[in-house]
Amino acid sequence: DTGVSQDPRHKITKRGQNVTFRCDPISEHNRLYWYRQTLGQGPEFLTYFQNEAQLEKSRLLSDRFSAERPKGSFSTLEIQRTEQGDSAMYLCASSRQGYTGELFFGEGSRLTVL
Amino acid sequence: DQQVKQNSPSLSVQEGRISILNCDYTNSMFDYFLWYKKYPAEGPTFLISISSIKDKNEDGRFTVFLNKSAKHLSLHIVPSQPGDSAVYFCAATPYNQGGKLIFGQGTELSVKP
C-alpha cells in the first residue's frame, strides 16, 4: 500500500504527558499537511510543509504543538503537556505541488487525553 | 466563525434516488471548492472539485454545482447507492493558499436499499 500512513493509530495518555505522532506521506508528494478533527466537526487545518519547509501554521497550533519534516519525507507532530482539550483525531495528508486541492489523507491518529 | 457551513447533519435517501448535499460559505475570497467522502475509521477521500470560474462539474454519478452569487454549492449523487453511505464534507480554499482547506461540519448520508 503506497498511501499516507500514520502511527500510532490510537494513543491514550494522561494529562500533562507528551505525545508524538508520525506521518509518512505518499513518496512522490512534496507537500504534507496536518489537520485535527473533533467529534461532529470537519477537519481543521493545523500546518503544512513544502519539502522540509514549514510554510504556514494555524493559530490553533499553540506553543505546545510542534511539527517537523526534517528531510522532506516523513513528518512528526508533537504535543507537549497534553490537555483534555487536545483529544481529537489528528489527520495527515499529502499532495503534489501545483496544488489542485486534492489532498490524500491518512487514516488518522486518535488521541485520548485522560 | 464558521466560513463553510453544512447545515444538515444527516440525510436519508432511498437507493436509486437523487441525493443532494448542500454547503454555504461566507468568504468571497474562496475560489476553489471540493467535496470529500469519509467512511468510518478511514481518512477523508477526495470526491470532486470545482473552480470558481465554473458553475458545474460532473464526474460520473457525481455533479457539483456552484452558485457564487448565493455563496452556495451542492453535490448531487444520481442514482444513489448503498455504498455511498458516508459522511460528506465540503471544503473551500482561496487560490494559492497551499493545502489550507476550510471544511464544513459534514453531512452523514444514509442510502437505504
Side-chain angles (χ1 to χ4, degrees):
Chain A
D1 184 25
T2 57
V4 177
S5 63
Q6 294 188 242
D7 182 71
R9 295 288 310 279
H10 303 275
K11 178 71 176 179
I12 300 174
T13 190
K14 292 182 179 178
R15 186 165 50 96
Q17 298 295 304
N18 300 343
V19 297
T20 299
F21 300 114
R22 176 182 169 122
C23 172
D24 288 89
I26 293 171
S27 57
E28 61 266 31
H29 288 177
N30 65 342
R31 287 190 172 175
L32 185 147
Y33 313 84
W34 286 98
Y35 283 78
R36 180 174 69 186
Q37 185 177 15
T38 53
L39 195 63
Q41 299 297 317
E44 295 175 293
F45 171 81
L46 293 179
T47 187
Y48 92 97
F49 294 83
Q50 182 162 300
N51 300 312
E52 66 274 10
Q54 189 173 19
L55 295 189
E56 187 168 350
K57 290 171 58 173
S58 164
R59 52 197 166 101
L60 291 175
L61 217 64
S62 76
D63 291 345
R64 298 184 296 105
F65 288 70
S66 63
E68 294 183 342
R69 194 183 183 196
K71 295 184 179 179
S73 56
F74 74 92
S75 175
T76 57
L77 177 68
E78 181 183 17
I79 309 173
Q80 297 182 325
R81 305 181 304 281
T82 53
E83 301 172 356
Q84 287 185 327
D86 298 331
S87 296
M89 178 72 82
Y90 290 85
L91 293 163
C92 177
S94 68
S95 75
R96 291 185 181 88
Q97 196 170 350
Y99 165 73
T100 63
E102 182 177 350
L103 305 188
F104 293 80
F105 281 88
E107 293 176 323
S109 293
R110 180 168 296 283
L111 173 64
T112 301
V113 181
L114 302 176
Chain B
D1 63 332
Q2 192 78 29
Q3 297 185 66
V4 178
K5 296 180 183 180
Q6 294 176 256
N7 291 317
S8 298
S10 62
L11 175 67
S12 184
V13 171
Q14 206 68 31
E15 181 179 6
R17 307 295 290 269
I18 184 171
S19 295
I20 300 176
L21 295 97
N22 294 302
C23 179
D24 297 294
Y25 63 95
T26 57
N27 190 338
S28 58
M29 297 300 291
F30 289 151
D31 69 351
Y32 203 80
F33 304 89
L34 309 95
W35 286 92
Y36 280 78
K37 179 169 72 173
K38 185 181 184 304
Y39 293 118
E42 295 185 10
T45 56
F46 170 77
L47 191 57
I48 192 169
S49 63
I50 187 167
S51 163
S52 61
I53 63 173
K54 297 184 175 181
D55 55 17
K56 177 183 175 181
N57 188 26
E58 194 171 352
D59 183 2
R61 296 185 297 113
F62 302 91
T63 303
V64 56
F65 295 92
L66 175 62
N67 182 334
K68 288 189 292 295
S69 61
K71 293 190 175 67
H72 177 83
L73 67 155
S74 61
L75 174 68
H76 292 208
I77 306 173
V78 184
S80 302
Q81 299 174 353
D84 295 329
S85 297
V87 178
Y88 289 79
F89 294 99
C90 72
T93 184
Y95 177 74
N96 217 18
Q97 280 277 303
K100 186 178 177 181
L101 299 180
I102 310 299
F103 283 86
Q105 308 96 309
T107 296
E108 184 171 10
L109 174 65
S110 176
V111 180
K112 301 193 181 304

